[in-house]
Amino acid sequence: MATAIAAEIGLPPALLIEQTMPYAAAGIALHAAFTCLKPRQLIIFSGLTLGTYVAFGV
C-alpha cells in the first residue's frame, strides 16, 4: 500500500520529464480498466488521476 501511495504521489511530477511521459499511457489504461471493473466506486478517483496525467503530461 505504501508503494502504491508513493507511486501516485511521485508520478505526476515525474511526468514533467520527457523520458517518463510514455508511462502516462500505461497509467491511463490501468485506470480505465479499473473503472470498467468497478465504475461506481472508481470513477471519481480515476477521473482525478487522469486529470493529473493530462495536466502534467502535456
Side-chain angles (χ1 to χ4, degrees):
M1 184 174 81
T3 303
I5 292 170
E8 290 290 341
I9 291 170
L11 188 59
L15 292 176
L16 294 173
I17 302 167
E18 196 169 324
Q19 291 84 359
T20 59
M21 286 184 185
Y23 294 105
I28 289 168
L30 180 70
H31 284 93
F34 288 157
T35 300
C36 289
L37 293 172
K38 292 193 153 260
R40 198 170 22 167
Q41 290 87 354
L42 296 175
I43 193 72
I44 294 172
F45 171 76
S46 294
L48 292 172
T49 303
L50 178 62
T52 60
Y53 290 158
V54 171
F56 287 100
V58 175

